[in-house]
């Protein structure tokens, strides 16, 4: 199967870390550089039903950020309503996940973009099938990983575990870099004491990892640092 030559696989240290938000910002900065961007989400669960159709908010956000290339079914060809791992969500609805389409769907973007942004589900070891994990998709596609980490207590451990997984999965996954993302406003009521780790997490992660910690995205920021050569991250 032939995929676009250049791409970035956006993964996270966990669920709800802001992968789609970061991927959309990445689409915007690449488009500003004159890059034709494609976007692909192999499968989405927890989708909302609008009339008779299932809609993935994440897929729509990626598509919009990329300038609406091709169409939504090419962005995310498999949609499920239940908030479960895709293969379990499919069975919950009396359907079966098409495991071959998880990878084959990316081939639709061959010749249609200069660079393909792929967004995984959850973290690297999130299951996509009975014996398939997000890391398997990343490995087969061969694109460098962009790891999104939520700036909150526990992120140091989660980031290191993700990078260890990347280094040891099969014969290793290339990591382009890590982005630390604020998932709460500083004055947000999180139902407990203030998370003081948010002020030190960047420096702590930076001194403990080998791949570059590319940037820290503050709450509500609408752009990525233009000083980073984002398109070069896609080089294998």
């Amino acid at each position: 199967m032939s995929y676009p030559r250049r791409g970035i696989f956006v993964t996270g240290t966990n669920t709800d870390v802001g992968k789609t938000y970061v991927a959309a910002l990445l689409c915007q900065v690449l488009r500003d550089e004159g890059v034709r961007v494609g976007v692909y989400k192999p499968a989405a669960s927890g989708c909302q039903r609008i009339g008779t159709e299932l809609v993935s908010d994440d897929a729509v956000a990626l598509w919009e950020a990329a300038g609406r290339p091709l169409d939504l079914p090419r962005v995310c060809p498999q949609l499920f309503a239940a908030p479960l791992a895709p293969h379990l969500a499919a069975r919950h609805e009396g359907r079966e996940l098409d495991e071959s389409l998880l990878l084959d769907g990316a081939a639709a973007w061959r010749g249609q973009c200069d660079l393909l942004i792929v967004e995984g589900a959850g973290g690297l070891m999130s299951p996509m099938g009975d014996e398939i994990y997000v890391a398997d998709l990343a490995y087969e596609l061969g694109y460098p990983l962009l790891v999104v980490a939520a700036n909150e207590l526990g992120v140091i451990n989660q980031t290191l575990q993700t990078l260890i997984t990347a280094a040891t999965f099969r014969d290793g996954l290339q990591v382009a870099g890590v982005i630390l993302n604020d998932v709460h406003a500083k004055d947000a009521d999180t139902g407990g004491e203030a998370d003081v780790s948010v002020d030190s997490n960047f420096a702590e992660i930076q001194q403990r990892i080998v791949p570059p910690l590319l940037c820290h995205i503050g709450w509500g920021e609408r752009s990525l640092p233009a000083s980073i050569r984002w398109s070069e991250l896609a080089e294998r």
Side-chain angles (χ1 to χ4, degrees), residues 12-19 121-123 126 150 152:
T13 54
N14 206 337
T15 58
D16 298 325
V17 298
K19 292 189 304 298
S126 293
E152 59 187 2

Side-chain angles (χ1 to χ4, degrees), residues 32-196:
D32 289 345
E33 294 177 1
V35 178
R36 287 187 308 151
V37 181
V39 282
Y40 182 60
K41 188 173 179 67
S45 51
C47 298
Q48 62 173 321
R49 189 172 296 279
I50 300 178
T52 60
E53 301 292 326
L54 285 174
V55 177
S56 165
D57 291 340
D58 289 351
V60 171
L62 293 173
W63 187 54
E64 295 281 359
R68 296 189 171 189
L70 297 186
D71 52 36
L72 277 172
R74 302 293 182 90
V75 175
C76 187
Q78 301 195 71
L79 304 170
F80 307 102
L84 300 167
H87 66 301
L88 298 178
R91 290 173 193 168
H92 184 78
E93 299 168 21
R95 302 162 59 193
E96 283 295 324
L97 179 78
D98 185 341
E99 294 187 352
S100 63
L101 185 57
L102 293 172
L103 286 170
D104 293 352
W109 293 93
R110 177 78 176 182
Q112 303 298 318
C113 63
D114 301 321
L115 190 156
L116 183 62
I117 303 296
V118 182
E119 184 193 331
L124 287 176
M125 297 312 297
S126 293
M128 297 293 290
D130 288 325
E131 298 180 358
I132 298 176
Y133 298 89
V134 169
D136 287 297
L137 303 184
Y139 183 89
E140 294 297 337
L141 290 170
Y143 301 139
L145 298 179
L146 182 62
V147 178
V148 180
N151 188 19
E152 59 187 2
L153 187 64
V155 68
I156 299 170
N157 174 63
Q158 291 177 351
T159 302
L160 293 174
Q161 286 184 335
T162 298
L163 296 179
I164 290 169
T165 298
T168 58
F169 188 83
R170 299 199 193 182
D171 56 356
L173 301 172
Q174 179 183 347
V175 179
V178 177
I179 289 179
L180 186 66
N181 180 46
D182 283 0
V183 291
H184 303 291
K186 275 203 169 184
D187 57 353
D189 181 4
T190 57
E193 295 183 1
D195 183 356
V196 296

Side-chain angles (χ1 to χ4, degrees), residues 21 25 181-185 217-223:
Y21 185 76
L25 293 181
N181 180 46
D182 283 0
V183 291
H184 303 291
I217 301 177
W219 175 258
E221 284 190 18
R222 299 296 180 184
S223 63

Side-chain angles (χ1 to χ4, degrees), residues 209-225:
I209 67 174
V210 174
L213 182 52
L214 295 167
C215 64
H216 171 204
I217 301 177
W219 175 258
E221 284 190 18
R222 299 296 180 184
S223 63
L224 294 175

